[in-house]
């Protein structure tokens, strides 16, 4: 109790003493001959947003990650625009634009399927900003000058402005130099900036892994000490940032970096437990490397599937414990899922639609073990069969369940009706070898068995 109090006082003193990010007023203006950005990589929608605002007499620039990616010759996945126009002024110049956000209002300007997030330059804190006892900024919503807007961004490489009309990069914090040196450097005093917003620590790791950048030593140093501040971040925000990290196409690289920095404890709540269990680790790393491949091939990632893989080991452990204690298999799984989701949704605010997907994928797993009679045919009608099957294959590939089971289902899904009929007439033992013994006959599902399938008691004897 006293130690926590002392810690809080120390945190508060640190925050008050910390240097505020200095806002440099005179930027470097870098011409195309030096920065070499290929204008063809800029989306038409972003160009039109800037042109329209500039034609109306405002200043308007492409800003943030898009400028960084353009400098690296990468086509940005989305574009943000910063301007001195207010949200109302921005909205009035476009046919399809909506003002969003309560804390800080910004405008979504829409062109066909593309949305350009357009925000008014934001001011630096006045010194009276609303912060919690660890220094985390709670309210921060006044308009300001461009140099202030630059200083409140996170890393130097994320704080550059590109004017597509003049083809000029406006650079207040040597971002262009840092892109060239492949350095990730936070703007201002690192500790104070992490205290203001602890999510920046996760962002540092994500950008370093994704861009292949070194984290500058001063930027890296406080992360280990401050990792626990992540606990104060609202769960919904943490979930968004974690999803970005896991679907960056570099999730494996990110995890490796987190470990190298000693940060896999504390920063990502669910990975804490998982990475310390060899079986869990093998499964998660395989799932993440498949996810990375999919992202890089431009394929869709279903967050429900991803989180189902991350938490499977937790579910499995609790399921085994319940079955070991004599509970029926399906209700035991259902209960294990309830417990895991209860804890994790609180920590991470996993949205309902994703947790519903996770439950379906998990509850389908024991149904794959039933290879005879009508059960496999009924499973074919399941709307989420593809996700459930992919999940099963992942389990087979890391040796958590016998490979024969996956092979049987692969064959079954590809087979015609006649072959399927023959396959399901065989004794289950001949198909997969997963059921080594059958201690009791079939029973009706106990209440709570979400799939409504028949269940068997106590034969969960697979080695996990
Ligand atoms: P990505 O390629 O992942 O989208 P990004 O740099 O565009 O990278 P966003 O999360 O889209 O990242 O944020 C857009 C910009 O907003 C950043 O480039 C940065 O300037 C600013 N920003 C975002 N999050 C923070 C933060 N936590 N603190 C300060 N500035 C931030
Ligand atoms: Mg972005």
């Amino acid at each position: 109790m006293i130690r926590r109090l002392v810690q809080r006082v120390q945190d508060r003193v640190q925050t008050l003493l910390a240097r505020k990010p200095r806002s440099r007023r005179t930027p470097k203006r870098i011409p195309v001959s030096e920065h070499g950005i290929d204008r063809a990589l800029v989306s038409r929608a972003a160009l039109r947003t800037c042109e329209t605002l500039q034609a109306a007499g405002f200043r308007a620039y492409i800003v943030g990650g898009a400028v960084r990616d353009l400098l690296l010759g990468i086509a940005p996945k989305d574009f943000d625009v910063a301007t001195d126009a207010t949200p109302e002024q921005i909205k009035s110049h476009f046919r399809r634009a909506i003002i969003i956000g309560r804390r800080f209002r910004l405008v979504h300007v829409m062109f066909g399927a593309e949305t350009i997030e357009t925000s008014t330059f934001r001011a630096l804190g006045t010194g009276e900003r609303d912060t919690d006892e660890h220094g985390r900024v709670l309210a921060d919503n006044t308009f300001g000058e461009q140099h202030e807007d630059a200083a409140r961004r996170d890393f130097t490489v994320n704080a550059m402005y590109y004017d597509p009309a003049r083809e000029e990069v406006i650079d207040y914090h040597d971002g262009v130099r840092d892109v060239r040196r492949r350095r990730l450097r936070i703007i201002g005093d690192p500790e104070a900036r992490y205290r203001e917003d602890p999510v920046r620590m996760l962002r540092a790791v994500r950008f370093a892994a994704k861009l292949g950048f070194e984290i500058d030593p001063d930027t890296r140093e406080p992360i280990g000490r401050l990792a626990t501040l992540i606990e104060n971040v609202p769960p919904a925000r943490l979930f968004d940032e974690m999803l970005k990290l896991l679907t960056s196409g570099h999730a494996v690289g990110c995890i490796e970096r987190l470990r190298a920095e000693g940060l896999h404890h504390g920063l990502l709540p669910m990975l804490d437990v998982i990475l310390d269990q060899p079986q869990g680790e093998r499964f998660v790393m395989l799932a993440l490397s498949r996810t990375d491949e999919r992202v890089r091939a431009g394929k869709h990632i279903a967050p429900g599937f991803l989180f189902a893989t991350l938490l499977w080991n937790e579910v499995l452990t609790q399921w085994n414990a319940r079955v070991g204690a004599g509970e029926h298999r399906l209700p035991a799984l259902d209960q294990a899922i309830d417990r895991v989701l209860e804890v994790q949704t609180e920590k991470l605010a996993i949205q309902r639609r994703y947790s519903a997907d996770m439950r379906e994928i998990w509850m389908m797993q024991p149904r794959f073990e039933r290879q005879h009679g009508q059960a496999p045919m009924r499973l074919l009608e399941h709307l989420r069969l593809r996700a459930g099957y992919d999940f099963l294959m992942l389990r087979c590939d890391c040796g958590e369940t016998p490979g024969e089971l996956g092979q049987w289902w692969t064959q079954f899904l590809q087979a015609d009706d006649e072959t399927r009929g023959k396959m399901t007439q065989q004794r289950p033992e001949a198909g997969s070898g997963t059921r080594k013994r059958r201690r009791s006959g079939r029973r009706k599902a106990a209440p709570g068995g979400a799939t409504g399938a028949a269940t068997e008691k106590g034969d969960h004897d697979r080695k996990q």
Side-chain angles (χ1 to χ4, degrees):
M1 178 70 187
I2 293 194
R3 258 189 39 218
R4 282 185 58 187
L5 204 67
V6 171
Q7 181 65 47
R8 283 190 169 190
V9 173
Q10 279 175 347
D11 281 353
R12 192 76 195 156
V13 171
Q14 279 285 345
T15 309
L16 293 173
L17 291 179
R19 274 177 287 143
K20 290 257 167 291
R22 252 179 309 134
S23 113
R24 295 195 198 152
R25 280 162 190 274
T26 326
K28 287 189 182 143
R29 295 181 178 274
I30 300 163
V32 62
S33 56
E34 272 178 51
H35 64 66
I37 286 179
D38 178 2
R39 204 165 173 273
L41 291 177
V42 180
S43 86
R44 296 247 338 112
L47 289 178
R48 278 186 49 198
T49 306
C50 290
E51 281 162 8
T52 306
L53 288 169
Q54 289 178 352
F58 298 107
R59 294 156 72 210
Y61 308 90
I62 291 163
V63 68
V67 185
R68 175 198 72 215
D69 290 349
L70 287 168
L71 278 168
L72 289 165
I74 303 169
K77 64 175 166 31
D78 46 44
F79 287 84
D80 299 326
V81 165
T83 175
D84 57 357
T86 63
E88 285 74 17
Q89 287 168 330
I90 301 168
K91 186 177 186 301
S92 70
H93 286 90
F94 297 94
R95 208 160 49 84
R96 289 177 60 220
I98 46 167
I99 298 182
I100 61 151
R102 267 180 301 165
R103 229 183 58 170
F104 189 86
R105 291 156 69 239
L106 43 88
V107 184
H108 276 179
V109 180
M110 288 165 284
F111 297 91
E114 202 177 344
T115 297
I116 304 297
E117 200 167 285
T118 308
S119 52
T120 311
F121 294 140
R122 281 194 229 185
L124 275 174
T126 55
E128 296 146 18
R129 275 186 305 181
D130 234 355
T131 57
D132 71 6
E133 73 267 31
H134 305 284
R136 191 168 66 84
V137 173
L138 301 173
D140 171 18
N141 48 11
T142 38
F143 300 142
E145 300 292 324
Q146 186 181 26
H147 67 90
E148 296 181 287
D149 186 84
R152 60 180 302 293
R153 292 177 181 274
D154 48 6
F155 302 100
T156 60
V157 297
N158 285 347
M160 297 171 286
Y161 302 79
Y162 176 61
D163 178 347
R166 292 165 167 257
E167 294 194 57
E168 189 175 71
V169 171
I170 299 178
D171 184 7
Y172 289 89
H173 296 278
D174 288 328
V176 173
R177 184 200 63 188
D178 287 342
V179 168
R180 300 274 177 257
R181 295 195 311 185
R182 307 187 83 81
R183 274 287 166 116
L184 197 70
R185 204 159 51 83
I186 202 158
I187 297 171
D189 178 68
E191 175 157 348
R193 301 302 312 279
Y194 295 137
R195 285 185 182 279
E196 276 176 4
D197 181 6
V199 159
R200 289 174 187 148
M201 294 186 271
L202 278 180
R203 290 173 62 85
V205 173
R206 170 161 69 90
F207 289 128
K210 177 175 150 182
L211 305 169
F213 281 20
E214 264 322 299
I215 305 180
D216 191 69
D218 288 347
T219 298
R220 194 178 60 211
E221 184 277 322
I223 298 182
R225 283 188 286 119
L226 302 178
T228 52
L229 292 179
I230 290 282
E231 288 165 19
N232 307 322
V233 175
R237 173 102 201 283
L238 199 56
F239 179 82
D240 285 349
E241 207 50 49
M242 200 159 142
L243 197 57
K244 278 192 190 173
L245 189 148
L246 295 170
T247 57
S248 65
H250 299 268
V252 170
C254 285
I255 303 293
E256 278 163 3
R257 283 216 181 217
L258 285 173
R259 288 189 133 169
E261 313 272 337
L263 288 181
H264 60 297
H265 289 288
L267 273 190
L268 293 175
M270 65 168 67
L271 289 180
D272 240 16
V273 194
I274 299 163
L275 291 177
D276 282 345
Q277 301 161 352
Q279 180 61 52
E281 184 194 340
R282 197 137 43 100
F283 186 74
V284 165
M285 291 316 260
L286 185 65
L288 290 181
S289 71
R290 298 260 168 96
T291 306
D292 284 350
E293 280 167 26
R294 284 185 68 88
V295 173
R296 291 186 202 190
K299 292 186 187 161
H300 171 70
I301 297 297
F305 185 90
L306 185 59
F307 284 97
T309 60
L310 295 181
L311 291 175
W312 175 238
N313 202 55
E314 279 284 289
V315 172
L316 210 49
T317 309
Q318 298 203 24
W319 186 21
N320 282 340
R322 286 174 176 273
V323 171
E327 287 182 36
H328 292 211
R329 290 188 79 226
L330 285 188
L333 176 56
D334 201 42
Q335 291 291 316
I337 292 172
D338 277 351
R339 291 290 88 74
V340 170
L341 287 179
E342 215 171 274
V343 173
Q344 294 296 340
T345 23
E346 199 180 304
K347 271 195 204 163
L348 271 176
I350 297 176
Q351 290 154 24
R352 239 192 150 63
R353 60 196 163 118
Y354 299 142
S355 57
D357 285 353
M358 292 159 75
R359 179 183 292 279
E360 284 201 292
I361 291 169
W362 288 334
M363 285 306 293
M364 231 185 290
Q365 298 309 304
R367 294 181 69 184
F368 284 114
E369 293 166 13
R370 307 187 56 214
Q371 298 157 274
H372 69 296
Q374 282 305 303
M377 291 302 206
R378 279 202 298 271
L379 197 49
L380 286 181
E381 288 157 23
H382 199 298
L383 283 175
R384 309 277 298 142
L385 174 67
R386 185 71 214 183
Y389 164 77
D390 286 346
F391 196 85
L392 172 72
M393 295 310 285
L394 209 54
R395 292 172 59 211
C396 293
D397 291 348
C398 76
E400 184 243 299
T401 206
E404 294 86 342
L405 185 62
Q407 283 159 18
W408 190 93
W409 274 96
T410 305
Q411 215 184 328
F412 184 70
L413 291 178
Q414 288 165 355
D416 55 28
D417 282 350
E418 195 188 332
T419 317
R420 282 179 179 165
K422 284 185 195 149
M423 287 174 78
T424 53
Q425 277 159 22
Q426 290 164 6
R427 292 293 303 154
E429 287 81 359
S432 73
T434 50
R435 288 262 184 271
K436 298 224 169 52
R437 60 206 155 86
R438 183 163 289 263
R439 290 215 299 251
S440 60
R442 283 211 250 141
R443 298 169 190 221
K444 281 272 169 232
T451 59
T455 182
E456 291 133 11
K457 182 181 185 300
D459 62 348
H460 185 64
D461 56 354
R462 285 174 293 130
K463 290 284 164 279
Q464 312 303 344

